[in-house]
Amino acid sequence: MVLPAGDRPGADATQALGALWDYRVYARRWVFLLVLSLLSFSNATLWLSFAPVADMIAHHFLLSTEQINWLSRVYLVASIPSGVVAIWVLDSVGLRWATIVCAWLNFAGSVFRTLPFMVGGIQDPFAFLMGGQSLCALAQTLVVFSPAKLAALWFPEHQRATANMIGTMSNPLGILVANLLSPALVKKEEDIPMMLGIYIIPAGITCLLATACLLESVPPTPPSARAIHSTSEKFLDGLKLEFIGLCGALFIVFGVLGALVLSLYVDRTKLFTEAVKIGFCLTSVVCVAFALVSQLQGQTLALAAICSLLGLFGFAVAPVAMELAVECSFPVGEGAAAGLIFVLGQAEGVLIMVLLTALTVRRAEPSVSTCQDGQGPLDWQVSMLLMAGLCTLFSCFLVLFFHTPYRRLQAEASASCSIQEDMSPATMDREPHPAATP
């Protein structure tokens, strides 16, 4: 095909046009997705494998419940520094080596947890349990960040969302399996080694597949035009260029930190309702600030600070709100209560996003930002004000009308009192002696 001289593209356009004719997809992209999905699944099962049988683990190793809880919390703590490192690794080392390193960390952590059973005479089993969980925790951020990168590099446009969904949803699937499998495997303390050994199997298989089957980070020929430009900027330059990514990172980091601190506080005080109400009110204030400041120019630092506060207050409330839902819905099962909250929250999020997007319009006046497609940017002023208004309205409704007893705590307290009464000396003295029974 020969174009007229006036219509011939420049060098960059010619390169892109040539690449357009050479686009190709490879069947081994599904192998890469399988490995990444299995890795995400295995890492999630290792994360919460102890939680459903915490009482037996604590009794067997003579540990406190707080120590057992830290075997799960270490994932949250490790995600703060390792999340930043994971971004750099994916952009600098490449997807293949990032996945292989992640698979070996995950496998090593799963094996390290079993050493108290494999090696006799260990004085501090908690150190080995925490060490293994820490290695798995370091792998988590790479697991969570990789599906989007894999979809962009290996899959065509009409398969990217599906590939990202498969890789991402493998993680909550692993959480679900861990919550079902651990109680099913551990009926008595002697079953704990078997449980730990079973969780090694998917970690080992994934490690073997990652090492043997992943041969390259990118395909020889890109699957789409977007894949040509999917190579990221250098880490620090990328953070400066993609300000929205920096705001998202700040939101997550401060959110995880806030969730950790608030969860520890609520565990000690049991002030579920107060923590949720205050958290929602602070989130509403920050949301109003975001709606106003986002309309101003040159407020980069202010927006970054607001996103950090939004994560600190809003994201941190989520786990406490889940616990509050379980408390007020008892004796409904924990999974049913938390699952219903999650599903309703997702449905509400979809409706609100559709509504907010529908209210946007193209800016008529010149703007400091320009979209890549050459069109004017969207004006989100009405949408942001509506979001702030809805957040404030829901927070006021929660504060004024939500009052609930902690039914699960009350049931546990009643059961504890009954056991103490049954074991009291006065009760035992009233029981007839076997020898005195006719």
Side-chain angles (χ1 to χ4, degrees), residues 272 322-324 326-331 334 405-413:
F272 296 98
M322 288 290 188
E323 283 295 307
L324 179 59
V326 172
E327 289 291 341
C328 67
S329 62
F330 186 84
E334 291 86 350
Y406 300 151
R407 294 187 175 90
R408 183 174 62 172
L409 289 178
Q410 291 176 353
E412 291 173 348

Side-chain angles (χ1 to χ4, degrees), residues 59-201:
H59 186 269
H60 182 80
F61 290 108
L62 302 179
L63 302 174
S64 66
T65 304
E66 186 68 14
Q67 288 177 299
I68 300 300
N69 290 337
W70 270 106
L71 296 178
S72 301
R73 288 176 186 156
V74 68
Y75 269 68
L76 302 179
V77 177
S79 66
I80 299 174
S82 65
V84 179
V85 176
I87 299 173
W88 177 83
V89 169
L90 283 174
D91 289 342
S92 303
V93 179
L95 188 60
R96 178 201 174 213
W97 281 110
T99 305
I100 292 175
V101 170
C102 182
W104 276 100
L105 284 173
N106 193 64
F107 175 63
S110 67
V111 173
F112 204 72
R113 306 187 319 165
T114 64
L115 291 182
F117 297 98
M118 298 169 60
V119 180
I122 292 180
Q123 300 298 323
D124 188 8
F126 180 72
F128 287 86
L129 297 177
M130 178 59 75
Q133 287 294 98
S134 300
L135 290 175
C136 297
L138 292 176
Q140 185 195 39
T141 48
L142 281 171
V143 168
V144 174
F145 296 170
S146 295
K149 188 82 171 179
L150 175 65
L153 291 175
W154 284 84
F155 287 82
E157 291 91 340
H158 66 280
Q159 294 180 347
R160 281 202 297 257
T162 301
N164 200 350
M165 180 272 296
I166 294 174
T168 302
M169 295 308 295
S170 299
N171 198 264
L173 178 61
I175 295 175
L176 173 63
V177 170
N179 279 280
L180 297 176
L181 186 59
S182 290
L185 293 175
V186 181
K187 300 299 184 183
K188 53 186 182 298
E189 293 182 21
E190 290 76 11
D191 297 331
I192 296 176
M194 177 187 65
M195 178 197 76
L196 296 177
I198 288 178
Y199 282 123
I200 292 178
I201 296 175

